[in-house]
Amino acid sequence: MTRYTRVRFRPRGQFHFGGRGVGMERSDVWLPADSLFSALCTVLADQHGADIVEELLAEFRGARTPSDAPFRLTSLMPYAADVSFLPYPMVGPPRIPNATDLRRRKQFKAVQWVSSNVFRALARHESPTAALENDLPTTIHGGKIWLTLKEKDGLESFMARHPETGKPQSPVLWRTHLRPRVTVDRKTLKSAVYALGGTAFNRTKDSSAGLYTVVEWLAADESVQALIKGAFEQLGEVGIGGKRSSGFGQFVPNFEDFVNWSIGASDGDFFTTFSPYHPRPNEREVIGPEARYEIELRRGWLSLSGYMNLRRASIRMIADGSVLRWPSTVTPFGDLVDVTPKTLFENEGPTVYRYGLVFPVRIANAAMKPSDQIETRRQLDGGRS
C-alpha cells in the first residue's frame, strides 16, 4: 500500500522563487507548500475544469481529522543525487562535547538545511557523530548545508573549481544568477533595464540537483492519487514559480512510492513541520511552553478568468522548521484559510483559499533539553537560568 510519494523535480532550466519585497533580484532555493498547492490547483482547473478543484477543496474543508483529508504535502526542498535535505529543526546545537562553545554555536546557527540522516539524528536525540569533524558540523555551501562526511564524499561530482586557481572547492548544488532584462513601454517605446534573479541547480553527467516534495496520501483513493500525479506532470510542462512566460520553472517529475517514511522520533511531546502551518482554533496549544517557532507573513497576487493582478488577503503562518508542542487532545492538522481578494468578494466571485495544513514529524523530548554543560552550569548556579 502506497502511503507516501516523493516527487523529485528534475529541472529543465532555472527557477524564480521571489521573496519578500518588490525587487526581482532575489530568488529563493525552495518554495513553501501553500504556493505548491496553489500551483497544483491552477493546473487541475486548466485540465479538468474549476468544478473538480471545488470538489477537492470541499474535501479539505470538510475534514475534521487529518485522516479525513485527501492528502498533505511538504514544501519544495532541495536534493542532490541521492541526498535529500530538510529544514534544520529549531532544537539548537546537538548534544555533543563543547556544543556550548560560542564558535561552535555560531556554526550550528548558520545551518539552514540538513540531510535526512542528520535530521533523523537530531529528531531522535542521537549524536550525529558521522556528520561531525572536530566537534564541528560537516558543511558545504558556506556552512548552510549540514550533512555526513560520507554524503559529502558522494557529492564529489558536484565539486566546483576556483575560477582563478582551478583548485577544487566544496560541492556546489545550486547558484543564484542575475539576468539583465529590459522592458519597453508600449506607448512611449522607452526602455528600462532591470535584473532578474534565477536559481539554477547543478547537474553532472550521471546525476543532478533539484527540488522535491513528499505527499502523504490520507483519504485519497487511487483515482485522486492519479489526478494529483497528473497535475504534477502538467505543472512540469507549464512551470512553477515566477517568470514562467520566459521559460523559468519547467521540470520533469519523477515519482517514488513507499509505505513508511521513518524520519522522526517514535514518540515525544514535540513536532516540527515541513510546511507552513495555520493552526485551527482548537490547536493553539502547539505554541505552548518550550515551543520554538517563527511567524511568517504569507501574501501574494493572483489572476483568474476575468480578473487580473488581485492581491490576496495576508495571513500569518508558522514557518517550516519550527518546533511546536504536540496538543494533548487533538492531532495537529491546520486548515485552508479564506484569502479571497476584496474585489472577488464584492463581485461574488469564487472563494480563494491558502493551504495551511501541517506536515508534522515527531521530535523526542530529550532533543529539546539543553546541553549537558548548560544543565551542569544551572545546577552549579543553584537552578538559575
Side-chain angles (χ1 to χ4, degrees):
M1 175 183 176
T2 298
R3 176 70 175 182
Y4 300 92
T5 296
R6 178 167 26 227
V7 189
R8 292 181 185 269
F9 290 17
R10 187 164 60 84
R12 298 172 64 185
Q14 295 190 28
F15 295 90
H16 176 76
F17 298 141
R20 295 177 183 175
V22 296
M24 299 291 291
E25 296 87 355
R26 176 179 170 179
S27 180
D28 287 332
V29 73
W30 70 294
L31 189 72
D34 55 334
S35 297
L36 173 59
F37 184 83
S38 297
L40 290 172
C41 289
T42 300
V43 296
L44 277 177
D46 292 340
Q47 276 186 306
H48 306 284
D51 290 344
I52 198 166
V53 176
E54 291 295 333
E55 293 175 8
L56 182 65
L57 296 179
E59 291 187 42
F60 279 100
R61 297 199 309 274
R64 293 292 176 264
T65 65
S67 59
D68 297 333
F71 63 89
R72 58 187 171 196
L73 45 75
T74 71
S75 298
L76 275 180
M77 302 175 288
Y79 78 88
D82 295 329
V83 185
S84 300
F85 300 103
L86 298 162
Y88 188 179
M90 298 181 185
V91 296
R95 183 169 293 189
I96 59 173
N98 302 319
T100 54
D101 177 82
L102 182 59
R103 174 169 166 263
R104 289 176 172 78
R105 293 188 67 179
K106 284 184 176 179
Q107 297 211 27
F108 287 112
K109 190 176 180 180
V111 174
Q112 296 179 357
W113 299 98
V114 297
S115 71
S116 55
N117 286 325
V118 175
F119 180 91
R120 192 176 292 109
L122 294 174
R124 299 177 179 177
H125 189 55
E126 299 169 352
S127 180
T129 52
L132 297 173
E133 296 175 275
N134 299 321
D135 290 345
L136 294 175
T138 303
T139 61
I140 57 177
H141 264 261
K144 295 182 179 178
I145 297 178
W146 183 13
L147 69 179
T148 67
L149 185 59
K150 184 178 180 181
E151 291 170 334
K152 183 178 180 180
D153 293 340
L155 299 179
E156 201 172 276
S157 59
F158 293 93
M159 197 76 74
R161 291 189 176 276
H162 192 280
E164 296 181 356
T165 64
K167 293 183 178 179
Q169 297 177 305
S170 66
V172 175
L173 309 183
W174 62 78
R175 295 183 187 275
T176 300
H177 301 276
L178 282 179
R179 280 188 176 186
R181 308 276 295 181
V182 62
T183 181
V184 179
D185 188 281
R186 292 182 178 179
K187 292 183 178 180
T188 64
L189 298 182
K190 290 184 177 179
S191 60
V193 178
Y194 66 97
L196 175 66
T199 302
F201 288 90
N202 201 355
R203 69 177 65 178
T204 67
K205 181 180 178 181
D206 301 322
S207 58
S208 69
L211 296 163
Y212 78 98
T213 180
V214 175
V215 182
E216 182 180 9
W217 305 110
L218 301 169
D221 56 21
E222 291 184 358
S223 63
V224 175
Q225 295 183 24
L227 185 72
I228 299 303
K229 288 183 177 179
F232 274 109
E233 291 176 346
Q234 179 65 17
L235 190 60
E237 295 291 331
V238 301
I240 188 170
K243 293 299 177 182
R244 296 187 297 277
S245 60
S246 299
F248 281 65
Q250 296 181 354
F251 61 90
V252 177
N254 178 267
F255 303 97
E256 178 188 1
D257 298 329
F258 49 97
V259 178
N260 296 315
W261 191 26
S262 180
I263 192 70
S266 57
D267 55 25
D269 295 330
F270 300 90
F271 69 97
T272 187
T273 176
F274 293 157
S275 63
Y277 173 33
H278 187 270
R280 297 188 176 199
N282 62 349
E283 300 171 24
R284 292 173 181 170
E285 193 180 345
V286 298
I287 53 175
E290 301 181 71
R292 303 166 186 176
Y293 55 92
E294 179 181 352
I295 302 295
E296 62 178 0
L297 183 64
R298 303 295 297 149
R299 55 189 178 184
W301 300 81
L302 82 158
S303 296
L304 298 173
S305 178
Y307 301 93
M308 296 295 292
N309 299 326
L310 299 176
R311 180 187 286 276
R312 285 179 285 194
S314 301
I315 61 169
R316 287 174 170 79
M317 304 174 76
I318 298 176
D320 297 46
S322 298
V323 178
L324 306 164
R325 180 169 285 278
W326 195 282
S328 57
T329 57
V330 297
T331 301
F333 187 19
D335 61 4
L336 300 185
V337 189
D338 185 347
V339 293
T340 306
K342 184 178 179 182
T343 302
L344 279 180
F345 180 78
E346 292 175 344
N347 294 335
E348 299 183 352
T351 305
V352 179
Y353 296 95
R354 185 178 283 278
Y355 178 89
L357 269 63
V358 66
F359 199 105
V361 176
R362 290 272 191 179
I363 299 291
N365 290 351
M368 297 295 291
K369 293 181 179 179
S371 69
D372 291 334
Q373 291 191 357
I374 293 178
E375 191 68 33
T376 302
R377 189 179 305 131
R378 284 178 175 171
Q379 293 173 359
L380 293 175
D381 292 344
R384 296 192 301 272
S385 59

